[in-house]
Amino acid sequence: MEKEDILTALRTSFPEDVLETSTPLGDAAAVVKPEALAGIMAFLKAEPQAFTMLLDLTCVDHPDRLDRFEMVYHVFALEGARRLRVKASLPAAEPVIGSLAGLWKNAVWLEREAFDMFGVRFEGHPDLRRLFMYDGFEGHPLRKDYPLRGRQPRLPMRPDP
Amino acid sequence: MTTRLQAQARPESLLLNMGPSHPAMHGTIRIMLELDGERILNSEVEVGYLHRGFEKTCEHRTWFNLLIYTDRLNYVSPLINNLGYVMTVEKLLGLEVPERAQWIRVLMSELSRISDHLTCLAAMAMECGAFTAFLYKMKAREFLWDAIEQTTGARMTTSYIRIGGVRADLHPDFEAVVRRAVDETRKVVKDVRGLLDKNPIFLGRTRDIAVMTPDNALSYGWTGPCLRSTGVAYDVRRAQPYLTYDRLDFEIPVGERGDNFDRYLVRMSEMEQSLRIIEQCLKPLARTVPAPSGIAPAEAIREARRRRPDDPVRLSPNLEGSEKAVYPGIMAGDKRYVLPPKEDAYTTIEGLIAHFKHFMAGHGLRPPKGEAYFAVEGGNGELGYYIVSDGSDRPYRLHLRAPCFHIVSALEELIRGRYVADVIPTFGSMNMIGGELDR
Amino acid sequence: MAGNFLTTRFEAMLAWGRKFSLFHYPYVTACCGMEYMSAACAHFDIDRFGAGWTRFSPRQSDLLLVVGTIAQKLAPVLKTVYDQMTEPKWVIAFGACTVSGGIYDNYAVVQGIDRVIPVDIYIPGCPPRPETVLDGLLKLQEKIKTQGQDWRWKKKTS
């Protein structure tokens, strides 16, 4: 299966939900509706697409857009070493998207990371907590409006000289 | 603060906390165990103790400056991390790299890979009580680092692979030093095999312990030696060859059972393959590097006040002699993306302006708007960078696909139902690297 | 009788004994740990200076080597480890991150461990070379030699 075939298959199977397909710099990429994401991912994981691995899951914050959080998924198929990027934009007010924890096991941690860093919530996640930051940390550090030096110490510290 | 495990644990079971500072954890990770006697009923792994804000910091650094942060991701193989970042940016820029630089990059990544595997196995062996193997492997690593240091100027955090090429050409004595390092490493690999391969204590703690099935490994997103130990022969160097890997002859060792011992064996065999690759790289790199020549930097600057000096300037840290002569071989020619040679920056006005343009705020390297994902084979597996550029002089978003993040996420499942003592070799065989896992 | 005894001050003898038997607790978190391994292994051999014995229990160690970045999340743990050590105790900040936060001036990293615990010797470098580490250790030994040794009974009376 070539890149174009995958994108064509996506478009034909989900004509309503796939908003855009492209191949920027040679990477196959598709933009989908967030509510259809879980279904599309299940389709991609199944034969004959056979994207057996969820390589990566992350988020990009665009504070100037109405759909502020852009979720970015990378899936990978061993056969032919094919990669596909799937993106979905979530509104700033209520960033919620379906969880992939039922499809891939590493999604559990990846989604916890995205929740921790961006505050995106995942519906159906078994255990959505912070992953890297600690209890009592307020805010989501990778959001663009979080200050780079917004330290929240857990101990009283000697102040800056 | 109640953790999930504390909330769910049965009242009669014992809760045990390992880490974040634990003698047998070569990294800061906290594992909470729910025990029935010695059996682990349940566990909870907590990470983030080395979260250093890598991704956020990179958004505030220019494309050129953030290279130093990539050194400190997987700090056992910094050169591969440099390579991954640099190649992703080159993909965004559409930049071609000279062939000699590509060979140097391959050679340097393989040196790094060996040092990564050596460190992982050394720590694993030490934590199982095999301190001799640890000392042997550290010895071999010193020889490899000597070779790296001689050319790059640093032992670990090298920042040697730059956008457009590499920082400097190989040291004139490089081949001799590398051959010595290769010989020493071969000897160590052989010795360590003799010490551990049939060692009943080591076998008892690793054979058939924490078995991973291929399907499960794929579901967890495992890559690299850990995935290959389950029998799936996926290696980025072979599946999507980058640089000159398609012209090299090497094998992809795979395991059969996917247990701790297979992860150890795959890493051992991979080191042998990497040594083979290094030897093959030496041939195309055999061109002799010109010996140091030219006038001293201070003198050159004094002279440049009066007139343009004719002689090349002898400078740069590693960095034997003048680099301008070798620049075309190791750096891409595009002036927009590549720094001028130091001697030009110090002695000619054009070089100074080019240098200045590169570092003035808002003027440096500015890749076009877009996004790119590029992966290289790191010490732990597929090391991918996902970079979003908005056309400014710093990345809009930079995300690292850390291979050991996915591997460690399977730890809870792997140690469930095992003994407490099995946590140590299982964790050791995963090669958890804090800088990469927590970023 | 010649050669069978020597005269010294008790304090000097105590200092001499302490400086050559530093049991260290390596609080290894990050990159610097690799250089710590190098320093501790055969090539550079920290044992030559009497600090070869690694104790992984704070109760048994005299010297806390803080090796690598201390994140905000880890700071309470470091403080606990330090508090658990018994007197006399010394702390070496190993590497730029422990000295000042190093290149990580951001939300996640403690800007120098001296904000949390007292530090005796700062070893700069990112990461410091093993030679620098050994130099730092010698500096600490010098410090132990010259500083007043606080013995428990002396403390009680004062």
Side-chain angles (χ1 to χ4, degrees):
Chain A
M1 260 188 153
E2 287 303 308
K3 280 167 198 151
E4 285 302 325
D5 298 340
I6 299 159
L7 295 178
T8 317
L10 258 185
R11 275 198 308 266
T12 47
S13 310
F14 299 90
E16 296 285 301
D17 300 323
V18 177
L19 302 174
E20 187 193 327
T21 56
S22 58
T23 51
L25 298 170
D27 302 346
V31 182
V32 304
K33 282 186 184 165
E35 55 271 19
L37 181 99
I40 290 176
M41 286 307 212
F43 167 77
L44 286 172
K45 195 190 174 193
E47 300 284 338
Q49 290 79 13
F51 284 98
T52 41
M53 274 165 91
L54 176 65
L55 268 189
D56 197 14
L57 179 163
T58 188
C59 181
V60 186
D61 182 14
H62 297 280
D64 48 336
R65 292 189 197 167
L66 208 60
D67 288 334
R68 176 173 170 178
F69 298 102
E70 191 178 39
M71 294 300 302
V72 184
Y73 298 82
H74 285 91
V75 286
F76 178 74
L78 273 178
E79 192 192 326
R82 288 168 290 128
R83 288 157 204 279
L84 175 65
R85 182 186 307 146
V86 180
K87 301 203 283 187
S89 291
L90 308 179
E94 205 181 331
V96 184
I97 195 165
S99 169
L100 301 184
L103 287 173
W104 287 287
K105 290 182 179 173
N106 57 345
V108 176
W109 272 30
L110 285 166
E111 287 174 354
R112 277 178 66 188
E113 186 197 346
F115 167 72
D116 188 358
M117 293 291 146
F118 291 93
V120 175
R121 278 179 292 115
F122 295 88
E123 253 171 17
H125 190 284
D127 182 25
L128 197 61
R129 288 176 297 138
R130 287 188 180 277
L131 183 69
F132 289 152
M133 306 315 289
Y134 34 89
D135 286 345
F137 190 88
E138 279 173 27
H140 301 281
L142 272 178
R143 286 190 178 184
K144 289 279 177 188
D145 48 14
Y146 191 89
L148 175 65
R149 296 187 180 84
R151 288 186 261 273
Q152 303 183 19
R154 299 174 75 188
L155 282 179
M157 292 205 183
R158 191 173 61 79
D160 279 316
Chain B
M1 183 171 70
T2 322
T3 60
R4 176 181 56 109
L5 196 74
Q6 279 170 328
Q8 292 176 354
R10 299 180 312 172
E12 67 272 23
S13 56
L14 173 73
L15 290 177
L16 184 72
N17 183 48
M18 288 178 96
S21 180
H22 187 269
M25 302 256 159
H26 51 279
T28 40
I29 189 168
R30 182 176 176 203
I31 306 176
M32 284 158 278
L33 305 168
E34 183 190 348
L35 299 176
D36 173 21
E38 283 274 294
R39 284 265 176 214
I40 298 166
L41 297 175
N42 236 323
S43 64
E44 183 179 354
V45 177
E46 193 176 341
V47 297
Y49 289 99
L50 191 58
H51 179 66
R52 303 193 272 198
F54 163 72
E55 291 172 8
K56 182 90 175 172
T57 314
C58 284
E59 289 171 14
H60 291 79
R61 297 286 182 274
T62 60
W63 294 95
F64 186 82
N65 288 357
L66 68 86
L67 187 67
I68 57 161
Y69 292 93
T70 62
D71 279 331
R72 289 155 183 83
L73 288 172
N74 185 340
Y75 34 75
V76 203
S77 50
L79 286 154
I80 308 184
N81 292 268
N82 286 169
L83 181 70
Y85 165 66
V86 160
M87 291 196 69
T88 317
V89 177
E90 280 164 5
K91 184 175 175 181
L92 272 170
L93 294 168
L95 195 61
E96 277 292 318
V97 179
E99 189 169 334
R100 184 172 171 82
Q102 294 193 16
W103 284 107
I104 296 178
R105 284 176 172 190
V106 171
L107 179 65
M108 287 296 170
S109 354
E110 293 309 316
L111 283 174
S112 277
R113 191 182 321 282
I114 300 174
S115 91
D116 190 295
H117 288 351
L118 279 172
T119 312
C120 163
L121 297 178
M124 179 186 175
M126 178 186 67
E127 285 152 11
C128 293
F131 202 75
T132 317
F134 174 74
L135 288 173
Y136 282 7
K137 283 172 183 157
M138 288 294 122
K139 183 184 86 175
R141 201 180 71 167
E142 289 299 327
F143 285 107
L144 296 168
W145 282 7
D146 280 350
I148 291 176
E149 184 187 7
Q150 191 191 39
T151 286
T152 67
R155 287 158 59 83
M156 280 172 57
T157 43
T158 55
S159 299
Y160 172 69
I161 295 173
R162 300 281 171 92
I163 296 163
V166 293
R167 171 69 185 86
D169 208 329
L170 298 176
H171 189 275
D173 296 337
F174 185 73
E175 186 169 344
V177 177
V178 162
R179 287 213 186 272
R180 171 141 191 253
V182 168
D183 289 345
E184 292 287 341
T185 314
R186 279 234 164 84
K187 270 187 227 157
V188 164
V189 170
K190 187 166 168 273
D191 283 350
V192 170
R193 286 195 156 236
L195 280 171
L196 294 181
D197 274 11
K198 291 176 186 163
N199 184 328
I201 302 172
F202 189 70
L203 277 170
R205 297 195 68 178
T206 55
R207 201 25 128 187
D208 287 327
I209 292 193
V211 178
M212 195 67 166
T213 60
D215 286 341
N216 215 3
L218 289 174
S219 177
Y220 269 113
W222 281 27
T223 46
C226 290
L227 176 66
R228 291 192 283 274
S229 75
T230 65
V232 182
Y234 169 61
D235 187 318
V236 187
R237 293 174 294 173
R238 182 57 57 79
Q240 287 175 324
Y242 51 96
L243 298 174
T244 57
Y245 277 112
D246 49 347
R247 280 178 267 169
L248 288 162
D249 175 31
F250 62 98
E251 284 157 26
I252 312 275
V254 288
E256 289 165 356
R257 309 194 202 179
D259 57 1
N260 286 340
F261 191 67
D262 269 3
R263 290 193 272 277
Y264 154 81
L265 273 187
V266 164
R267 284 206 171 86
M268 287 302 265
S269 330
E270 242 176 59
M271 282 197 276
E272 280 158 21
Q273 296 303 321
S274 290
L275 290 171
R276 271 180 69 198
I277 296 180
I278 289 171
E279 284 173 335
Q280 291 173 51
C281 286
L282 286 174
K283 206 172 285 169
L285 284 171
R287 188 187 81 191
T288 47
V289 185
S293 68
I295 51 177
E299 200 183 323
I301 292 171
R302 226 174 296 130
E303 183 144 331
R305 293 198 185 116
R306 289 183 284 118
R307 61 184 189 84
R308 176 177 290 202
D310 303 323
D311 300 320
V313 189
R314 189 179 62 220
L315 88 172
S316 61
N318 118 343
L319 293 187
E320 297 290 314
S322 136
E323 10 160 354
K324 196 177 172 185
V326 295
Y327 230 53
I330 56 166
M331 272 291 194
D334 200 321
K335 283 205 175 66
R336 285 172 302 165
Y337 307 137
V338 171
L339 284 180
K342 271 280 185 314
E343 56 210 288
D344 272 5
Y346 286 161
T347 57
T348 70
I349 189 69
E350 296 88 354
L352 186 64
I353 291 174
H355 183 89
F356 190 56
K357 284 283 278 181
H358 218 87
F359 287 105
M360 202 161 50
H363 278 260
L365 189 71
R366 276 165 297 167
K369 233 176 169 169
E371 54 187 349
Y373 176 87
F374 190 83
V376 295
E377 178 74 20
N380 276 338
E382 173 163 335
L383 182 82
Y385 284 84
Y386 172 67
I387 299 184
V388 182
S389 164
D390 61 348
S392 72
D393 63 338
R394 43 202 72 188
Y396 188 77
R397 172 97 172 90
L398 189 152
H399 177 75
L400 174 80
R401 189 232 178 241
C404 79
F405 181 92
H406 304 258
I407 294 169
V408 174
S409 73
L411 184 60
E412 279 176 24
E413 186 177 320
L414 279 187
I415 58 176
R416 187 172 301 140
R418 311 287 331 175
Y419 291 116
V420 177
D422 295 338
V423 176
I424 304 303
T426 308
F427 183 73
S429 70
M430 285 180 164
N431 194 17
M432 175 267 191
I433 303 283
E436 183 183 270
L437 175 79
D438 297 342
R439 276 160 280 151
Chain C
M1 286 296 276
N4 286 338
F5 64 92
L6 56 90
T7 51
T8 177
R9 285 182 306 124
F10 179 67
E11 189 163 87
M13 199 183 76
L14 194 62
W16 176 84
R18 278 178 177 166
K19 80 173 193 175
F20 286 125
S21 60
L22 286 167
F23 287 18
H24 65 267
Y25 178 97
Y27 195 83
V28 176
T29 62
C31 338
C32 289
M34 299 300 119
E35 288 295 33
Y36 164 74
M37 279 180 178
S38 291
C41 279
H43 253 66
F44 294 95
D45 197 7
I46 206 166
D47 209 1
R48 292 177 291 165
F49 305 98
W53 201 238
T54 309
R55 298 311 305 169
F56 278 105
S57 163
R59 307 265 187 220
Q60 300 169 355
S61 46
D62 317 301
L63 168 61
L64 180 62
L65 266 173
V66 186
V67 184
T69 319
I70 300 297
Q72 301 282 7
K73 189 172 183 176
L74 197 60
V77 185
L78 176 67
K79 178 95 173 100
T80 313
V81 168
Y82 177 78
D83 289 344
Q84 283 175 346
M85 288 170 68
T86 48
E87 294 282 349
K89 55 188 172 186
W90 296 276
V91 177
I92 288 186
F94 185 124
C97 289
T98 53
V99 173
S100 67
I103 58 173
Y104 294 100
D105 183 7
N106 57 29
Y107 62 93
V109 174
V110 177
Q111 301 297 298
I113 56 163
D114 52 6
R115 313 234 159 170
V116 188
I117 58 174
V119 177
D120 291 284
I121 299 288
Y122 297 86
I123 304 178
C126 190
R129 294 178 58 89
E131 293 92 331
T132 328
V133 178
L134 297 180
D135 185 50
L137 183 70
L138 292 178
K139 291 248 175 2
L140 179 70
Q141 292 182 338
E142 195 61 28
K143 183 175 178 178
I144 295 173
K145 205 173 104 188
T146 50
Q147 79 179 12
Q149 304 292 321
D150 50 333
W151 343 318
R152 221 163 279 166
W153 54 91
K154 185 183 165 190
K155 237 185 183 173
K156 270 181 193 161
T157 53
S158 60

